[in-house]
């Protein structure tokens, strides 16, 4: 069976002349333009046949987010009329979202539902100084708050990041960061966190799980960022409870969150990776993926947040091992995207650079940028199903490249651990 990754052709950081050069800036901008031109050529916001859903994950809202990010960066805002493009793509996404508004679950589904569409629209409306549209966007987004509390459990799982409560929380945190005034109250945030904890406790007890908080998605106890435990725990750590000194989380909640994090930490293998699902431990299946969605590249955000809050060296040690794994095995054949591609793995090094200020990680991030134009990658990488989208395609790659121009402010979309 062919390996999931290509051999990394670059030597690791050795200091001195191996340090990323300022001359990379023009190359990065040219690469951004190559990808954006392809998006504009192949994606047309007024063509409903191309995108009848519009979500952040693979739809027009994700492309709108990319243009919003371009408009927000001083070094890229003049490359395109980015805010105009963002408005066009989000307008189409919102038109498609209307047909789903009656579904309660859509109101708090962030990456794959209406909540993400309205969150990005709110940021675009704010940038465009359209106060009326901003008010409408926020009202639609906030309708997810009561909807997220209607059911404790569903058959597919309602706590993870793609369609569940943790994803909705990530949108709440992001909006509070990017809008000039805090729009989601601490009381609302904490109430959702409490529900996630209650859900995790109940599921863990019903299924005799080995950790205090556990969750399922379509019947599988995933551990990774896209569907599973580590991103849920990350969003709990982002809560107002952990923004105070001392920590204000109730003792029982703090205990269960911390024990669950430490259980997850113990699952890291000798390579620095993590299992895909809890079932793998029971069955002995040895499946290890080096993706944001499943594996170390997504786990790093939980570990970094835990390190920043608890100041325990074991989390930083784990992070370094995960980053070394990504350097060795993260040159993925699945494409350039952020969910399961080269750019998503490149974000690991931008995170580590911000966390440690060590040039080694910025060097590695630059090398992953160079991998995007590597001849072997061009020949052997797969074309994603949605090649221009935010999570599977090059819209996410553009976000990575924009962040490479401003590494001190870089963050994986909707997962900033430093706010």
């Amino acid at each position: 069976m062919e390996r999931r990754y290509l051999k990394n052709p670059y030597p690791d950081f050795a200091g001195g002349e191996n340090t990323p050069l300022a001359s990379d800036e023009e190359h990065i901008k040219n690469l951004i333009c190559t990808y954006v031109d392809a998006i504009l050529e192949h994606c047309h916001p007024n063509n409903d046949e191309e995108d009848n859903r519009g979500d952040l994950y693979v739809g027009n809202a994700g492309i709108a987010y990319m243009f919003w990010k371009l408009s927000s960066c001083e070094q890229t805002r003049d490359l395109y009329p980015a805010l105009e493009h963002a408005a066009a793509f989000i307008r189409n996404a919102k038109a498609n979202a209307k047909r789903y508004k009656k579904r309660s679950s859509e109101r708090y589904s962030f990456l794959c539902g209406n909540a993400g569409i309205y969150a990005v629209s709110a940021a675009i409306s704010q940038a465009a100084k359209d106060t009326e549209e901003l008010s409408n966007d926020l009202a639609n987004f906030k309708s997810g708050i009561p909807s997220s509390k209607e059911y404790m459990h569903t058959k597919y799982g309602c706590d993870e990041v793609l369609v569940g409560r943790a994803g909705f929380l990530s949108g709440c945190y992001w909006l509070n960061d990017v809008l000039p005034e805090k729009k989601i109250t601490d009381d609302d945030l904490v109430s959702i966190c409490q529900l996630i904890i209650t859900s995790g406790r109940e599921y863990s007890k019903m299924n005799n799980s080995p950790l205090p908080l556990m969750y399922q998605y379509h019947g599988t106890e995933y551990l990774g960022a896209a569907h599973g435990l580590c991103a849920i725990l990350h969003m709990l750590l982002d809560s107002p409870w952990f923004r105070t000194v001392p920590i204000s989380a109730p003792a029982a909640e703090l205990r269960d969150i911390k024990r669950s994090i430490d259980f997850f930490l113990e699952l890291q293998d000798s390579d620095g990776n993590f299992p895909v699902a809890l079932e793998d431990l029971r069955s002995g299946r040895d499946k290890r993926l080096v993706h944001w969605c499943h594996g170390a590249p997504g786990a790093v955000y939980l570990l970094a947040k835990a390190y920043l809050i608890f100041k325990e060296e074991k989390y930083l040690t784990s992070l370094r091992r995960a980053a070394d794994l990504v350097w060795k095995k993260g040159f993925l054949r699945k494409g350039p995207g952020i969910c399961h591609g080269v750019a998503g793995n490149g974000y690991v090094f931008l995170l580590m650079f911000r966390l440690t200020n060590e040039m080694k990680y910025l060097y590695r991030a630059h090398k992953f940028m160079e991998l995007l134009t590597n001849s072997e990658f061009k020949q052997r990488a797969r074309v994603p199903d949605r090649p221009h989208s935010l999570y599977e395609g090059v819209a996410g790659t553009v976000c990575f490249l924009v962040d490479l121009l401003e590494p001190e402010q870089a963050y994986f979309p909707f997962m900033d651990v430093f706010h």
Side-chain angles (χ1 to χ4, degrees):
M1 180 175 152
E2 192 170 17
R3 289 189 311 190
R4 298 175 186 272
Y5 64 93
L6 303 174
K7 183 179 179 181
N8 188 333
Y10 301 111
D12 204 354
F13 180 75
E17 60 187 30
N18 270 347
T19 302
L21 302 175
S23 60
D24 277 352
E25 182 178 320
E26 283 308 308
H27 177 61
I28 293 169
K29 288 182 179 179
N30 289 336
L31 196 52
I32 287 172
C33 290
T34 297
Y35 289 135
V36 173
D37 288 348
I39 290 169
L40 291 173
E41 179 182 354
H42 295 284
C43 303
H44 307 285
N46 296 320
N47 189 342
D48 283 348
E49 293 181 3
E50 293 181 1
D51 180 25
N52 58 14
R53 183 60 195 89
D55 64 17
L56 274 174
Y57 190 78
V58 292
N60 279 340
I63 295 174
Y65 172 84
M66 177 207 74
F67 278 116
W68 171 84
K69 190 170 182 71
L70 282 169
S71 74
S72 303
C73 172
E74 185 176 347
Q75 297 188 64
T76 59
R77 63 171 55 119
D78 295 328
L79 296 177
Y80 296 88
L83 204 55
E84 292 177 25
H85 287 309
F89 278 97
I90 203 65
R91 193 180 304 119
N92 176 266
K94 287 201 292 185
N96 288 330
K98 288 180 181 178
R99 71 189 71 172
Y100 298 95
K101 287 184 75 170
K102 291 184 179 180
R103 298 182 188 176
S104 177
S105 61
E106 285 286 339
R107 296 172 199 153
Y108 68 94
S109 177
F110 189 69
L111 293 184
C112 295
N114 278 8
I117 295 171
Y118 290 116
V120 170
S121 185
I124 294 168
S125 297
Q126 173 65 41
K129 297 181 172 57
D130 188 338
T131 55
E132 182 178 354
E133 196 65 17
L134 172 61
S135 178
N136 291 333
D137 291 333
L138 287 173
N140 279 306
F141 178 80
K142 288 182 178 181
S143 70
I145 296 172
S147 293
S148 71
K149 302 173 186 178
E150 287 184 15
Y151 301 100
M152 181 64 69
H153 306 286
T154 63
K155 63 182 179 180
Y156 61 82
C158 52
D159 291 294
E160 49 77 78
V161 162
L162 262 68
V163 299
R165 286 182 277 252
F168 186 71
L169 279 178
S170 75
C172 293
Y173 300 142
W174 179 73
L175 278 177
N176 279 348
D177 286 342
V178 301
L179 297 180
E181 296 177 3
K182 187 174 180 178
K183 299 298 182 180
I184 315 299
T185 68
D186 284 356
D187 286 346
D188 282 331
L189 294 172
V190 166
S191 68
I192 298 171
C193 289
Q194 288 279 18
L195 200 62
I196 291 174
I197 290 172
T198 301
S199 171
R201 284 171 174 164
E202 288 187 2
Y203 181 86
S204 179
K205 186 176 181 180
M206 286 188 297
N207 293 275
N208 296 314
S209 297
L211 66 167
L213 304 176
M214 194 58 216
Y215 307 86
Q216 61 85 22
Y217 180 72
H218 286 278
T220 299
E221 295 172 343
Y222 287 109
L223 296 168
H227 303 303
L229 178 70
C230 71
I232 296 172
L233 293 174
H234 172 193
M235 294 310 147
L236 293 176
L237 289 184
D238 261 343
S239 74
W241 286 333
F242 295 94
R243 300 189 186 198
T244 59
V245 180
I247 293 168
S248 58
E253 278 74 358
L254 176 58
R255 177 199 64 213
D256 287 353
I257 292 170
K258 183 70 162 59
R259 287 180 180 176
S260 298
I261 294 169
D262 288 343
F263 177 89
F264 177 77
L265 183 69
E266 291 300 316
L267 299 180
Q268 190 172 33
D269 63 23
S270 58
D271 283 342
N273 210 353
F274 295 86
V276 170
L278 205 56
E279 288 89 344
D280 295 352
L281 303 179
R282 305 185 189 110
S283 67
R285 184 178 72 154
D286 187 27
K287 184 177 183 180
R288 296 290 190 271
L289 300 175
V290 188
H291 305 166
W292 169 79
C293 47
H294 302 291
V300 294
Y301 301 98
L302 167 64
L303 298 171
K305 195 70 183 181
Y307 176 67
L308 290 169
I309 291 170
F310 300 115
K311 307 292 193 297
E312 295 179 24
E313 198 66 22
K314 63 184 180 182
Y315 300 121
L316 182 58
T317 299
S318 176
L319 280 161
R320 292 189 187 280
R321 292 173 61 205
D324 288 345
L325 166 76
V326 174
W327 176 250
K328 294 172 186 173
K329 298 183 178 181
F331 184 12
L332 299 178
R333 295 178 56 246
K334 293 194 82 169
I338 61 173
C339 182
H340 36 260
V342 170
N345 287 355
Y347 261 117
V348 171
F349 306 124
L350 290 177
L351 169 75
M352 291 299 291
F353 174 68
R354 286 191 69 183
L355 192 68
T356 67
N357 205 34
E358 294 176 14
M359 288 301 297
K360 171 174 74 173
Y361 295 115
L362 187 56
Y363 166 87
R364 288 179 172 183
H366 275 249
K367 290 305 176 187
F368 266 55
M369 175 271 294
E370 292 180 26
L371 289 172
L372 293 166
T373 54
N374 176 276
S375 58
E376 185 182 15
F377 179 71
K378 286 183 173 182
Q379 292 171 6
R380 298 180 62 191
R382 300 172 189 168
V383 177
D385 292 337
R386 299 300 293 270
H388 304 101
S389 63
L390 180 60
Y391 277 78
E392 288 188 358
V394 295
T397 313
V398 169
C399 294
F400 167 66
L401 295 171
V402 172
D403 278 331
L404 201 56
L405 292 171
E406 296 183 332
E408 294 83 5
Q409 287 84 44
Y411 63 91
F412 190 97
F414 314 109
M415 297 191 86
D416 187 1
V417 305
F418 299 98
H419 59 170

